[in-house]
Amino acid sequence: MNKEKKLLVSAIKNGTVIDHIPAKDLFKVIKILGLDKARQPITFGSNLVSRKIGKKAVIKISGVYFEDKDLNRIALISENVRLNVIKNYEVVEKKQVKVPERIIGIAKCVNPKCITNHENITTKFTVINKDVISLKCEYCEKITDKKHIKII
Ligand code: CTP
Ligand code: ZN
């Protein structure tokens, strides 16, 4: 490996690498996956140069393999992240995030009058447009579009 090719964030032996995260969205992805509460070793890189997306971030979680339903929540932020499953230092699988049919929790309803903004109720949305992503609240039926999605 020459100097230019050296990894800025060390390789991991086993676990999950989430790559090509738009740098501005790193903390949202951390929140979506609940990594702020994780106990396993996690390494991050941010504002790394990527020819494809400008500035990217990467998260490496050792010893953890996520369920697809958890990873797919990342689609709320970016569909272009790359998920890599690492076993014994090798990338054994690459997965893409898929926009889920429903989003339970994690996003906030845009409607200030919605019951979920006043009582301790888990938000529930039906994804009505998978291309630009808009969420229809299952309580008040108001639409939260991608621009207005706030992660709780
Ligand atoms: N990686 C890692 N530890 C390993 C193997 C890979 O942290 N033991 C990371 C790499 O640093 C990279 C990602 O996992 O961020 C994917 O690895 P690889 O497929 O080898 O890289 P690329 O070919 O650059 O993949 P892509 O084009 O999907 O970015
Ligand atoms: Zn609502």
Side-chain angles (χ1 to χ4, degrees), residues 17-115:
V17 172
I18 305 168
D19 201 352
H20 293 253
I21 304 166
K24 64 175 183 15
D25 297 324
L26 171 63
F27 290 91
K28 291 183 197 157
V29 176
I30 291 171
K31 231 172 163 183
I32 286 174
L33 293 177
L35 298 179
D36 44 348
K37 295 174 197 84
R39 296 171 157 269
Q40 300 79 5
I42 307 178
T43 47
F44 302 96
S46 192
N47 295 328
L48 310 177
V49 176
S50 156
R51 259 187 295 139
K52 280 175 210 140
I53 63 162
K55 290 194 168 167
K56 73 161 191 178
V58 60
I59 307 176
K60 302 189 180 189
I61 308 113
S62 292
V64 177
Y65 302 105
F66 294 90
E67 286 187 42
D68 286 351
K69 73 169 171 42
D70 293 328
L71 293 171
N72 285 341
R73 300 166 139 205
I74 299 171
L76 280 188
I77 302 305
S78 168
E79 285 183 66
N80 301 320
V81 303
R82 302 226 187 115
L83 308 166
N84 302 276
V85 178
I86 314 290
K87 291 193 175 153
N88 204 15
Y89 288 107
E90 299 286 326
V91 179
V92 294
E93 197 184 348
K94 282 185 180 278
K95 302 196 232 186
Q96 276 189 309
V97 292
K98 287 198 206 80
V99 181
E101 304 285 328
R102 290 175 85 206
I103 297 286
I104 312 295
I106 69 168
K108 187 173 147 55
C109 179
V110 77
N111 175 11
K113 290 189 182 148
C114 181
I115 188 164

